[in-house]
Amino acid sequence: MSRRTRKVSATFGSRTDVGCVREHNEDSLIVAPPLYVVCDGMGGHAAGEVASEIAVNVIASNAPAFPDATALGQAVEEANLAILRAAHEGVGRAGMGCTCTAAMIENERLVIAQVGDSRAYLLHQGHLQQLTRDHSLVADLVESGQITPAEARVHPKRSVITRALGSDPHTQPDLFEINVETGDRLLLCSDGLSSMIEDDEIEGILVHTADPQLAASQLVNAAIAAGGLDNVTTVVVDVTGFAEVRRKKIARKTKVTAALLVVLLIAIFGGAAYAFNFMTTNAAYLAEQDGKVAIYQGVPGNLLGIEFSHLVEVTDVSLDDLQPGVANRLKGDGLRVDSVDDARDLVETYREEAAGREEVPAGEGANASSGASSASSANAAGSSSAANASRTSSAASSAGTANAGNGGAA
Ligand code: MG
């Protein structure tokens, strides 16, 4: 039997056993969410096995994709005709047949198509309820008040069924459409379970066994412990309904969100690493090193002891040759430029300025002090060689120095 399994809102378990007396297991079952079927074969000499197997194969092929009672009923009717056809063609034995309880469940909707005395039960809020009505002689006798349910369990004709697949081409299943709730539990079983143990015992096992597979197995164990006079088959389906759908939806969203977060973090860290690398391999700055102007590649500072720059070279330009403002910056945070080449260009400028100042004659230095570019040039003019100027007017020289200094600072 093959059927493509769809993702549905249920968890389930199942087990079938030959029991303690029978030589063959003539029960067949389908557990292919959202479809679950139990068929109990009859006909003797293993013919019942053939009939129940034909039934499950035909139902698996013809069942609708979603719970639809009418369509499921039609699949069961097809199974009935297929068994009749097979018997007519000499497959199995004439008169072979089977019961059939077929259920489909999705979210909180349950549909059932049923023929014979295999049952569907629903455990709702801890209470077991038989959903299907047995098509059997004793069920008719109980309903007409001729015998009690207790008497039916030991009635000599308790195995006589009044409707089965394989006996009449016009046989139609009873159809049920039921709204179930999350937390409910569906049980399908052959009469090898329901004839061997009481409903109270079935209820107790279903209530106290959380795992559906274990529950299905425990039910079979109980039937065997009670004598196992018949083949016994159980299918237990937990209704997880919309809660399960919601859980899967949230799980999907969480996965997508986590993936996006990972991508975002990779982008942030990747971008930061790229920017840091770009900065440290392209940027440069000038700083003081042993009284000289030094060129560094990168940016000033460090993180956890990791420096963001390295020394490229210590130039021959002394900080004493620079304007005081520039020298102070180099002693402090450094003077940032775009590249090492720019740093070298700037150092060259300083070098030329310093050389230019050394070449300026003393007398011109005083005159030029009003427009001079550095305080040191003005100092040189006023202190070393402009003796005449200082002798003739020390006040003028001081004023010139002060002006020069202001000019240089500006
Ligand atoms: Mg049976």
Side-chain angles (χ1 to χ4, degrees), residues 172-400:
Q172 289 192 327
D174 287 347
L175 302 180
F176 303 84
E177 296 182 67
I178 300 162
N179 290 324
V180 292
E181 293 180 6
T182 297
D184 288 354
R185 176 170 266 188
L186 174 70
L187 166 67
L188 306 185
C189 65
S190 60
D191 68 335
L193 178 76
S194 54
S195 65
M196 296 309 301
I197 62 173
E198 302 274 358
D199 285 3
D200 285 351
E201 190 174 352
I202 294 175
E203 181 183 278
I205 292 170
L206 289 175
V207 167
H208 294 111
T209 314
D211 178 68
Q213 178 55 51
L214 191 58
S217 194
Q218 299 276 31
L219 289 168
V220 171
N221 288 344
I224 290 171
L229 301 180
D230 195 0
N231 307 145
V232 54
T233 299
T234 58
V235 175
V236 175
V237 185
D238 282 341
V239 180
T240 50
F242 297 114
E244 181 66 6
V245 173
R246 278 196 295 272
R247 189 193 65 74
K248 286 180 177 171
K249 224 180 238 181
I250 290 169
R252 264 198 306 274
K253 271 188 185 172
T254 304
K255 276 184 190 172
V256 170
T257 304
L260 286 175
L261 201 59
V262 167
V263 169
L264 189 64
L265 286 174
I266 289 172
I268 289 171
F269 283 113
Y274 177 81
F276 178 75
N277 182 59
F278 182 86
M279 214 161 50
T280 53
T281 55
N282 289 280
Y285 66 98
L286 301 177
E288 184 265 343
Q289 177 78 38
D290 299 330
K292 301 285 187 182
V293 176
I295 298 174
Y296 289 82
Q297 185 172 42
V299 292
N302 70 78
L303 180 66
L304 302 175
I306 301 171
E307 294 291 340
F308 299 154
S309 62
H310 65 273
L311 179 65
V312 176
E313 66 176 290
V314 179
T315 69
D316 58 353
V317 177
S318 172
L319 255 63
D320 293 338
D321 295 335
L322 303 182
Q323 297 173 30
V326 174
N328 286 339
R329 284 193 62 181
L330 266 57
K331 285 177 183 172
D333 295 337
L335 184 64
R336 297 191 194 190
V337 291
D338 291 339
S339 65
V340 171
D341 287 344
D342 285 355
R344 288 194 171 110
D345 289 346
L346 191 54
V347 169
E348 188 56 31
T349 303
Y350 293 156
R351 189 179 286 116
E352 287 171 359
E353 282 180 0
R357 283 190 293 274
E358 285 171 4
E359 290 168 3
V360 173
E364 290 177 20
N367 292 335
S369 62
S370 61
S373 60
S374 75
S376 59
S377 65
N379 286 336
S383 60
S384 62
S385 56
N388 293 334
S390 65
R391 276 195 299 273
T392 52
S393 175
S394 61
S397 173
S398 298

Side-chain angles (χ1 to χ4, degrees), residues 19 25 43 86 143 162 275 309 324:
N25 187 349
E143 282 183 11
T162 54
S309 62

Side-chain angles (χ1 to χ4, degrees), residues 157-175:
K157 292 187 177 178
R158 62 185 178 277
S159 60
V160 175
I161 59 175
T162 54
R163 205 190 304 179
L165 301 186
S167 59
D168 180 347
H170 302 297
T171 293
Q172 289 192 327
D174 287 347
L175 302 180

